[in-house]
Amino acid sequence: MTSCSTARLRGLLAVLVLAACTLLAPPARAHPHVWVVMKNALVVAPDGTVTGVRNAWTFDDMFSTYATQGIPSKTPGAFTRDDLKDLAEVNVTSLKEFDFFTYAKLDGKTASFTDPVDAWLEFHDSRLTLHFTLPLKTPVKARTIDLEVYDPTYFVDFSFAEETPFTLAGAPAACTVSVHKPDDAALTKKIQRMTEAQFAEEMSNVGELFGNKVMVRCP
Amino acid sequence: MPVISRRRWQAPLALCLGVLAVLVVSAGLADALAQSPFGVRTPAPPPASAETGLVGWVLAQQAQFYRSLSGLIRAAKADGTAMWTLFGVSFVYGILHAAGPGHGKAVISSYLIANEETWRRGIVLSFASALLQALVAIAVVAVAAVALNATAATMTEAVRWIETASYALIVVIGVRLVLTKGRGFLRAVREQRAEAGADGGALVLAPALSGVPAGTGFLHAEPHRDGLARSHVHGSAIHAEPAAAEPHDHAHHDHAHHGHDHHHGSACACGHAHHNDHDHAHDHHHHDHDGCCSHGPAPAELAGPGGWSRGLAAIVAVGLRPCSGAILVLVFALSQGLFWAGVGSTLLMGLGTALTVSGIATLAVGAKGVASRLAGAKDGRGALMVRGLEVAAACAVVLFGLALLGGYMASERMI
C-alpha cells in the first residue's frame, strides 16, 4: 500500500465517477419512427356542453405500409374502409394504453376520456388516416378548453395539418380557437442548448417539448 | 461450508444495493436540478451551456435522415443510381441512430468494463451484435412478410417475443457477472484486510481469507448442477484446478454461476496459459505476500477460445432485438418491389451502428484502462477499486436488463 498515494486514489475516484455517470445516464432517448398529421375537432352539443374530441390522424407512408402489410384487399395496394376494419379496432385499443396521446384541461381541470367511438381507417395516397372520436368521461360546459397532443416518449411525432388543423364542431360562434405548433427553429435551438444531463433528465417526457397545444376560449 | 457460501451470496447483494442507493440518490439530485430555474421546463430559455448540444443535434438529424428513406426507396424504383444515395443515407442514419436509444451501447460498455475485456474484443462484440441485429430484422421481414404475408400485428408480436428473450438474456449475463465479480471483489476486500493484518506482524492470512484454520488451504463447497456438492481443496502450495491431477473434469459442468478462485500460496506458478481451454469465469487473485506472481488481471487470457463463446452470449443478448426502423424500411421496400434495396439499407444501417457502438465501447475500455493505471493494478486498494468498478458495471448490466424487461425504458418501443 505504500506506493498508492492519496492523489492517485483521488484521480481514480474522479475517473470512476465520470465513467459511472456516462454509463448510468438513462439510455431512454427516442426519436420518432411514426409521424402523424392531425386534423382534430372539438365536439360541442347544441347547449354548449363539450362532449369530446374528434380526431383524424394521417400516418406517414412508411408506417402506413407497415400497418397494412399482409391485410387482404381486392385491389393490391388499395384498401377499403371494410378491409381496414379490424386494424382500426386494434389501433384504438392500443392507443388506450397511451391515453390516446391527448391531454385535456377543461376550465383548468384535467379531463379524462372514455373508450373511443366511431373509429375507422381510410387509405388514400398510400397513407392511412385514423378517424375516431374521444368522448369526455363527464361532458361539461367549459369556457376554457386546453388540449395537448404528444407522445411523451417521442416515438410518435404529432403535428397539426397546415389547413384546418382544429375546428369547433357545433360550438357557439363566439368561441375562438388558437393552435400552437412547436416552432421547429426555436425548438432545435432549445434542444441544442440543453446539456447531456438535462437532456437525459428531460427525455422521459421529451415529447412534451414537441407538444401541440390547442386553446379554445368561449365567452 | 454453508457459512462461506451464504457469505458469497450476501455480499454481492449488499454491494448491488449500495450501487442502487447511489443511483437513487443521483436520480434525486437530477430531479432537484430539473426543477430549478435552470431546468428546461421553465418558460425562460435555459442558460447557454458550455457543452455542445450534440444529443439534440443527433436527434434532429436522425429524424430527418430516417424520413428521407421512404422517398429514396421510391426514387430508387425509378432510377437505380438513387440506390447509392439510399445506402449512404442508411449508413449515416445508422451512425446517428446508435448514438440514441437502445442498440446495447450501455449494455456492451458495462459488460466490457465488468469483464476485463480488451478494446479489440469490444469492437468485435459491437460489430457482431450490430450485424446480428440487421440479420434478425431481415429474417423477420423475409419470413413473416415475404414468405408468410403475415400482418404487421403478427410481426410486432414476433419482435416482442424476440425482445423479451434478448432482455432476459441481458439479465442472465448481468447476474452471472455480478456473482463472479462480486465474489472477486469480496476476496480482494478480505485480502486487503489480511494484508493489513500481516503488516501488523500477525500471521493470520489464511483464517482471514477463508475462515478456515491456517494450513488447510482454501476450502469451498459449491453446488454443482448435478446436485452434488463438491469440495475443492486448494493446497497452500499450488492450485490444483484444473490441472490433470483434478479428480473430476470441469468441462461438463455449468460454471456460469460460480467462479473459481485461485489462491496462490507461497510457491505459486505464474503460467496461466492452461486456463484458456475452459470457460469458467475465473477470478485470478494473486497473493503477493512472498513477492510471487506480481501481475494484474490479464485480459488476453480471457480472450481465449472459451472467452469467445462467453462473448457470444453478449452478442446474442444485444443483437437479437431488431430495431423498429430497419423493419419499417424493409417492409416499405418490399411494398415497392425492392426488397433487396431494403436489405442493403438495413445492412448499412447496421454498419453505421457498429461504428458508433465500437467507438463507445473503446472509450469505455479505455476509461477503465486509465482507471486501472491510476489505481495501480498491483496496489491492494487500487485493485480493490477497479474490482468495485467491475461489480458496479455488472450491476448496471442487470439493471439495464431489468428495466428493459419491465418495459420501464420505452426507448425502442416497437409499434
Side-chain angles (χ1 to χ4, degrees):
Chain A
M1 279 309 299
T2 42
S3 59
C4 190
S5 70
T6 323
R8 209 160 62 170
L9 270 179
R10 212 174 289 154
L12 170 69
L13 207 65
V15 171
L16 291 189
V17 168
L18 263 175
C21 287
T22 318
L23 276 174
L24 301 176
R29 283 178 212 132
H31 85 94
H33 284 75
V34 180
W35 280 264
V36 171
V37 176
M38 304 176 287
K39 282 189 174 189
N40 300 351
L42 192 72
V43 187
V44 187
D47 68 341
T49 310
V50 181
T51 59
V53 186
R54 193 168 65 217
N55 295 326
W57 292 356
T58 302
F59 298 97
D60 67 284
D61 54 354
M62 254 204 278
F63 176 76
S64 300
T65 307
Y66 178 76
T68 51
Q69 155 64 34
I71 291 177
S73 64
K74 277 203 190 92
T75 330
F79 303 91
T80 63
R81 184 172 163 167
D82 207 45
D83 292 334
L84 302 169
K85 216 175 137 195
D86 293 345
L87 182 61
E89 193 55 43
V90 170
N91 281 350
V92 287
T93 315
S94 354
L95 275 171
K96 198 177 172 181
E97 195 187 320
F98 302 99
D99 296 326
F100 311 98
F101 302 119
T102 306
Y103 308 92
K105 271 189 176 172
L106 279 82
D107 285 336
K109 269 181 260 168
T110 306
S112 52
F113 299 100
T114 61
D115 287 354
V117 291
D118 306 330
W120 59 282
L121 274 167
E122 181 187 356
F123 191 81
H124 177 69
D125 200 14
S126 38
R127 279 172 175 81
L128 278 175
T129 301
L130 177 67
H131 299 265
F132 66 104
T133 301
L134 276 178
L136 276 174
K137 208 168 233 168
T138 41
V140 278
K141 281 185 186 175
R143 295 176 74 177
T144 69
I145 299 109
D146 294 317
L147 285 174
E148 275 192 82
V149 186
Y150 63 87
D151 173 6
T153 63
Y154 200 36
F155 189 82
V156 185
D157 176 286
F158 287 96
S159 62
F160 275 111
E162 289 297 320
E163 277 172 41
T164 57
F166 198 90
T167 50
L168 302 173
C175 292
T176 59
V177 59
S178 57
V179 176
H180 295 259
K181 302 176 204 176
D183 176 354
D184 271 354
L187 193 65
T188 307
K189 247 185 175 169
K190 185 176 179 176
I191 287 177
Q192 288 188 354
R193 271 199 301 260
M194 284 161 79
T195 65
E196 175 98 17
Q198 281 173 325
F199 204 87
E201 177 61 28
E202 281 297 302
M203 215 49 215
S204 55
N205 202 21
V206 74
E208 201 176 349
L209 294 173
F210 302 87
N212 300 271
K213 291 184 178 67
V214 177
M215 289 186 277
V216 179
R217 297 290 175 268
C218 292
Chain B
M1 295 296 295
V3 178
I4 288 179
S5 33
R6 206 186 310 137
R7 233 190 258 157
R8 254 196 217 157
W9 278 90
Q10 272 172 348
L13 196 75
L15 218 57
C16 246
L17 289 176
V19 172
L20 253 172
V22 172
L23 278 176
V24 169
V25 168
S26 52
L29 275 176
D31 255 339
L33 285 174
Q35 261 127 51
S36 79
F38 302 106
V40 282
R41 282 211 188 114
T42 52
S49 156
E51 287 179 62
T52 57
L54 188 67
V55 185
W57 182 82
V58 166
L59 188 84
Q61 290 300 310
Q62 67 176 332
Q64 261 174 31
F65 276 111
Y66 180 75
R67 287 216 80 175
S68 66
L69 290 175
S70 67
L72 284 167
I73 293 171
R74 275 185 213 282
K77 209 170 144 187
D79 171 18
T81 54
M83 197 78 73
W84 298 109
T85 320
L86 170 70
F87 288 169
V89 167
S90 304
F91 176 64
V92 178
Y93 171 73
I95 292 177
L96 294 174
H97 192 44
H103 299 284
K105 270 187 336 273
V107 174
I108 286 191
S109 302
S110 310
Y111 174 83
L112 292 173
I113 288 188
N115 229 0
E116 305 179 27
E117 299 284 20
T118 59
W119 63 270
R120 245 190 228 100
R121 267 179 60 105
I123 287 173
V124 172
L125 278 180
S126 309
F127 270 83
S129 59
L131 178 68
L132 181 65
Q133 200 173 34
L135 292 178
V136 170
I138 294 167
V140 164
V141 177
V143 172
V146 182
L148 304 173
N149 196 27
T151 59
T154 311
M155 256 186 286
T156 303
E157 193 58 26
V159 169
R160 198 157 287 157
W161 277 103
I162 296 172
E163 258 178 11
T164 308
S166 131
Y167 299 157
L169 199 51
I170 291 173
V171 175
V172 169
I173 289 174
V175 167
R176 174 177 151 168
L177 275 174
V178 168
L179 288 180
T180 49
K181 292 298 157 182
R183 227 174 282 147
F185 177 74
L186 289 174
R187 186 143 304 109
V189 169
R190 267 180 251 141
E191 279 171 26
Q192 190 67 37
R193 281 203 206 123
E195 264 178 46
D199 288 346
L203 285 166
V204 290
L205 177 64
L209 277 172
S210 56
V212 294
T216 57
F218 185 68
L219 176 77
H220 61 105
E222 45 192 36
H224 278 245
R225 217 200 222 161
D226 54 15
L228 294 170
R230 289 166 206 257
S231 290
H232 300 257
V233 181
H234 297 272
S236 57
I238 47 159
H239 63 102
E241 189 268 341
E246 193 71 2
H248 63 277
D249 176 18
H250 275 253
H252 66 279
H253 295 300
D254 179 13
H255 283 261
H257 302 292
H258 50 88
H260 281 255
D261 306 289
H262 299 266
H263 283 262
H264 301 268
S266 55
C268 72
C270 283
H272 288 276
H274 62 282
H275 289 272
N276 284 353
D277 58 351
H278 58 281
D279 182 28
H280 305 165
H282 278 275
D283 288 325
H284 296 274
H285 289 278
H286 305 284
H287 294 239
D288 295 337
H289 314 293
D290 300 296
C292 170
C293 298
S294 168
H295 62 83
E301 285 181 38
L302 290 150
W308 286 116
S309 75
R310 190 192 53 215
L312 195 65
I315 291 168
V316 171
V318 172
L320 206 56
R321 187 193 52 76
C323 74
S324 323
I327 291 201
L328 285 165
V329 166
L330 281 162
V331 171
F332 188 75
L334 176 69
S335 78
Q336 298 297 309
L338 283 174
F339 184 61
W340 64 273
V343 170
S345 166
T346 302
L347 287 171
L348 279 153
M349 272 184 213
L351 187 65
T353 302
L355 281 180
T356 306
V357 177
S358 331
I360 291 163
T362 307
L363 260 171
V365 173
K368 193 191 167 197
V370 172
S372 307
R373 225 170 307 134
L374 277 168
K378 289 169 208 164
D379 263 335
R381 227 155 95 196
L384 200 67
M385 289 183 93
V386 173
R387 295 216 168 271
L389 173 68
E390 285 172 7
V391 175
C395 288
V397 173
V398 178
L399 289 175
F400 287 141
L402 287 176
L404 288 165
L405 204 57
Y408 300 121
M409 274 183 205
S411 63
E412 274 296 298
R413 182 170 80 219
M414 191 61 203
I415 301 147

